[in-house]
Amino acid sequence: WAPNGHQIAYTADDRASRIYELYVANMQGTTVVDRQKVHPDLPATADVELGLNKIGYSPNGRYLAFLADALTDRLVELFFVDTQVAFPQPLTALSSTVAPGARGDDSFVWSPNSTELVYLADRDTPNVNELFLVSVTDPGTAVQVHTSITTGSIGEVRWLIPGVLTYFVRDGAQRRLFAAVTTDPANIDIFEIVSNLAAEESVEELEFSGTDFLVRVDNEAAQTSRFLFGSVVFGSGGGLREAATSQIRAPFCTDGAGSWAAATSGSSR
């Protein structure tokens, strides 16, 4: 659904069997007022991808992004259309050129400001999902956000506020948590939120309230957890700093009376 609740985007093989294309339907209550295909006819080998984070409206409802192998069979790329312009529209790729042997784009997340997206793609390093940032005002010129991934994977990407996003990096058995400040796409700042992980520790959960965060770090070998509290703090340069030591608490649990107390043994979950 579009954010205004009056338009829905969906895929269908209306024109040709097993060629799934993208349509929008304008609604008045439960009545379909009109329906249109958003792009030109796709070739017989093409499809619009289905699934979570494969098709999505920008938060303001103006743009509709989608993944499809519309130009090259089995090479999925990120496209978008402007819902304020008449359909069908020419295919406009947001994502950059994919290297030979790579699989293409996997999923995307709109920024809260509706002008840019981040997307995961196997683009430069075969069989490794990398994270890219692209603006609707400059399609096809994506910037790689995290540049140090040669093995492992990136996932659970989320925007906190415009210009700040977080994501997890899986490296073997360890999950690490990073933040990226993207206000200047030419100079993206990367910070590891929990930078003092032991070899056997892994960041397993992240919760945010405004700019304050809580993370849970598990030690599977010891079967214990610790919780870290912090805040996203902007300095004069627009950067992000890790929570001060005084903001880090010991693992905790509740006693019988419901009061918070330090956990002396066992696991806090």
Side-chain angles (χ1 to χ4, degrees), residues 20-250:
Y20 287 90
E21 299 174 306
L22 185 60
Y23 295 81
V24 295
N26 293 305
M27 310 290 292
Q28 285 185 352
T30 59
T31 302
V32 177
V33 178
D34 61 67
R35 58 190 296 272
Q36 304 171 77
K37 187 163 62 178
V38 306
H39 51 69
D41 291 350
L42 296 182
T45 57
D47 281 299
V48 174
E49 295 285 292
L50 299 175
L52 184 65
N53 296 330
K54 306 289 188 183
I55 302 170
Y57 286 92
S58 60
N60 65 5
R62 175 169 179 175
Y63 302 108
L64 177 61
F66 59 98
L67 293 168
D69 61 344
L71 302 179
T72 304
D73 186 29
R74 300 183 185 277
L75 182 60
V76 177
E77 298 174 272
L78 177 61
F79 300 88
F80 85 111
V81 293
D82 186 341
T83 63
Q84 295 182 6
V85 177
F87 296 128
Q89 295 173 27
L91 286 168
T92 301
L94 278 168
S95 50
S96 300
T97 303
V98 178
R103 296 191 307 270
D105 303 340
D106 179 72
S107 60
F108 64 87
V109 184
W110 280 102
S111 168
N113 64 16
S114 295
T115 63
E116 55 190 5
L117 310 88
V118 285
Y119 66 94
L120 290 170
D122 173 8
R123 191 189 80 171
D124 295 334
T125 305
N127 302 314
V128 174
N129 261 356
E130 300 143 327
L131 185 62
F132 298 89
L133 171 75
V134 67
S135 171
V136 296
T137 61
D138 197 13
T141 57
V143 176
Q144 191 168 350
V145 175
H146 195 112
T147 59
S148 62
I149 298 297
T150 56
T151 60
S153 62
I154 295 176
E156 297 184 46
V157 182
R158 60 195 291 183
W159 289 91
L160 306 184
I161 56 177
V164 180
L165 59 94
T166 63
Y167 54 93
F168 285 91
V169 174
R170 169 71 71 179
D171 185 5
Q174 193 173 58
R175 264 172 39 121
R176 300 159 62 196
L177 177 61
F178 291 84
V181 180
T182 64
T183 46
D184 179 4
N187 296 283
I188 296 175
D189 288 326
I190 304 294
F191 300 88
E192 186 162 7
I193 290 180
V194 185
S195 59
N196 60 343
L197 286 179
E200 64 275 9
E201 286 187 319
S202 186
V203 181
E204 293 302 328
E205 288 193 11
L206 166 69
E207 294 295 337
F208 262 87
S209 176
T211 57
D212 297 325
F213 65 81
L214 165 69
V215 295
R216 193 190 87 219
V217 178
D218 289 353
N219 186 319
E220 292 299 327
Q223 289 295 296
T224 59
S225 298
R226 59 190 177 105
F227 295 81
L228 286 79
F229 297 81
S231 181
V232 175
V233 179
F234 293 94
S236 59
L240 179 98
R241 64 176 175 84
E242 191 178 348
T245 303
S246 62
Q247 294 174 287
I248 298 177
R249 306 288 188 262

